[in-house]
Amino acid sequence: MTRQTSPIYLDHNAGAPLRASVREAMIEVLGDAGNASSVHAHGRKARGRIEQAREQVARLCGARNRAVTFVSGGTEANMMALTQSWRDQGTPVYLDKLFRSAVEHSSVVTGGRFPVSDQVVLPVDSNGVVLLDALDEMLSGKEPSLVSVMAANNETGVVQPLAKIGAVVREHGHFLHVDAVQAAGRLPIDLEEWQADAITLSAHKFGGAQGIGAVVVRSTGRVPAPLMIGGGQENWQRGGTENVAAITGFGVAAEAALEEASDLGHLNMLKSRLESGLRAVCPATVIFGEETQRLANTSCFAVPGIAAETALIAFDLENVSVSSGSACSSGKVAVSHVLTAMGIDETLARCTLRISMGWNTGEEDVDRFLEIWPRIVDRLNPEARTRAA
């Protein structure tokens, strides 16, 4: 078997390749000395870079510059936002419960700083969309609480109706957190339309560096209690010397992502091409979430009888990187909690693969995938080629 020598990367939802413009900006910063908290020229230069990046990230979110707090990544950002202790116009506020959807990222599933006893799971429909009637009923008459719903799912790409969710949350007097990690660069982000009190971002999902993220609030008067205290960095919201190089790269990536989010035609075309090809190879292909809005870059699918683990190994041997809808824990593959919440049968869930594209994905990558896929199917389960949908 002839293997493709040049690698194909179709796992942007796990982490996008670093953009060349980001790399160049970061290398330039790494050549300079200076702590952004210092008052001398070197320190002021570092501070200027951070504030420029803060403006760029704020623009990506339609937020004010001072609304952006830089942290170490999406997980820390979620941990910071998911707290019972907030301040609203200078007054301490204690939030009673955490209501989070059944399909959240694992960093939200853990509940952040909320004890397990104060966490409530919101149900979803068969596409993984939060049930608005259930949300309305569960929030009615409750003490002020925090609701956490992701903008778009990392496994299926399903987009939540955030404007409607935000309206329900606001009507009942609660706070809203949106994990927008997968949305940045793939959807317009609008805190006002969503009525979100805080959103969280991670730079490496759209071509920035790993290890840098942000919490962005709608109002600088309503903020979560700091997770990491120390010095006065980040307006006293996150202690510790800033990672100037990564923050600078974050800003550059945010500018590129904002431009890409304004025209998703290329990614939509690639996804349509991919999914038409999948069904041409195997008519029985199941595409999760296809009955609702999904990200332009994500396709989560399964072919009954073809185990995801085996298919992933076969693709890796062909130098193609894709991922599974399953999560690995301690070397053991478990069925995705997202698919379980959607009511997907466990046997089918274990066959799930995810293709996620991004800024450097081209038609040739999709075509190469569709060239390899029939050969893998023929080796693993040739009957799947003729099985009806």
Side-chain angles (χ1 to χ4, degrees):
M1 177 179 64
T2 302
R3 296 177 186 170
Q4 174 79 350
T5 54
S6 57
I8 294 175
Y9 188 77
L10 296 172
D11 198 16
H12 281 247
N13 286 9
L18 194 71
R19 298 174 190 266
S21 56
V22 172
R23 182 183 298 108
E24 291 169 7
M26 292 180 65
I27 288 173
E28 181 180 343
V29 175
L30 290 170
D32 291 339
N35 185 313
S37 296
S38 299
V39 297
H40 49 57
H42 288 86
R44 294 196 304 274
K45 185 175 183 180
R47 171 56 54 196
R49 283 171 162 152
I50 289 175
E51 296 313 315
Q52 180 181 1
R54 199 183 311 279
E55 180 181 349
Q56 291 166 318
V57 173
R59 199 156 47 239
L60 174 65
C61 305
R64 300 181 183 89
N65 293 6
R66 285 176 62 83
V68 177
T69 298
F70 290 116
V71 298
S72 69
T75 294
E76 184 188 334
N78 285 337
M79 183 68 71
M80 179 174 166
L82 300 181
T83 177
Q84 293 178 295
S85 299
W86 284 60
R87 293 189 71 82
D88 193 358
Q89 310 308 319
T91 302
V93 175
Y94 182 83
L95 300 179
D96 188 54
K97 302 285 184 186
L98 170 66
F99 292 86
R100 57 93 177 164
S101 88
V103 294
E104 295 301 305
H105 185 269
S106 56
S107 62
V108 173
V109 169
T110 60
R113 291 182 272 176
F114 280 83
V116 174
S117 59
D118 290 335
Q119 299 175 29
V120 182
V121 179
L122 302 169
V124 297
D125 65 16
S126 59
N127 287 304
V129 177
V130 170
L131 295 169
L132 293 175
D133 288 345
L135 175 68
D136 183 55
E137 182 179 348
M138 294 171 77
L139 295 183
S140 179
K142 299 296 191 299
E143 292 295 317
S145 296
L146 181 66
V147 178
S148 182
V149 177
M150 64 191 346
N153 190 263
N154 51 302
E155 294 185 27
T156 64
V158 167
V159 176
Q160 297 290 344
L162 289 174
K164 294 179 180 178
I165 290 171
V168 173
V169 172
R170 190 66 51 209
E171 178 185 354
H172 292 293
H174 302 293
F175 289 40
L176 177 62
H177 161 251
V178 174
D179 178 346
V181 164
Q182 296 295 343
R186 301 161 190 169
L187 281 178
I189 296 176
D190 192 330
L191 279 80
E192 291 297 332
E193 180 184 355
W194 297 350
Q195 298 190 56
D197 294 292
I199 68 168
T200 43
L201 303 172
S202 181
H204 77 99
K205 303 299 186 181
F206 50 90
Q210 295 180 6
I212 187 68
V215 177
V216 184
V217 295
R218 185 155 59 108
S219 167
T220 54
R222 178 179 278 193
V223 295
L227 172 66
M228 188 177 297
I229 57 176
Q233 296 92 347
E234 295 303 294
N235 196 31
W236 297 95
Q237 282 297 108
R238 202 271 189 180
T241 302
E242 297 96 337
N243 185 340
V244 183
I247 290 172
T248 300
F250 193 174
V252 174
E255 279 204 333
L258 179 60
E259 182 178 348
E260 290 166 359
S262 67
D263 183 8
L264 297 170
H266 174 66
L267 285 176
N268 274 314
M269 181 274 293
L270 291 180
K271 185 173 73 171
S272 178
R273 187 187 191 99
L274 169 69
E275 294 182 348
S276 295
L278 289 172
R279 288 222 161 98
V281 174
C282 298
T285 299
V286 177
I287 298 174
F288 299 109
E290 67 174 332
E291 296 176 358
T292 192
Q293 183 184 359
R294 290 179 293 148
L295 293 175
N297 80 312
T298 305
S299 181
C300 183
F301 68 95
V303 175
I306 297 182
E309 293 174 81
T310 311
L312 286 175
I313 294 170
F315 274 117
D316 196 43
L317 291 172
E318 295 277 1
N319 222 358
V320 178
S321 296
V322 299
S323 67
S324 169
S326 300
C328 287
S329 176
S330 301
K332 216 175 166 184
V333 175
V335 174
S336 161
H337 72 279
V338 172
L339 299 180
T340 298
M342 293 165 60
I344 305 302
D345 178 76
E346 180 177 333
T347 302
L348 182 62
R350 292 186 181 277
C351 299
T352 301
L353 296 172
R354 182 191 68 188
I355 306 299
S356 51
M357 301 169 284
W359 67 268
N360 68 337
T361 307
E363 291 183 35
E364 65 279 6
D365 299 315
V366 172
D367 291 344
R368 178 62 181 162
F369 175 90
L370 292 173
E371 177 187 337
I372 294 169
W373 181 229
R375 298 203 304 265
I376 292 176
V377 172
D378 287 341
R379 290 203 306 272
L380 301 183
N381 188 357
E383 294 180 2
R385 296 289 298 275
T386 56
R387 190 181 300 128

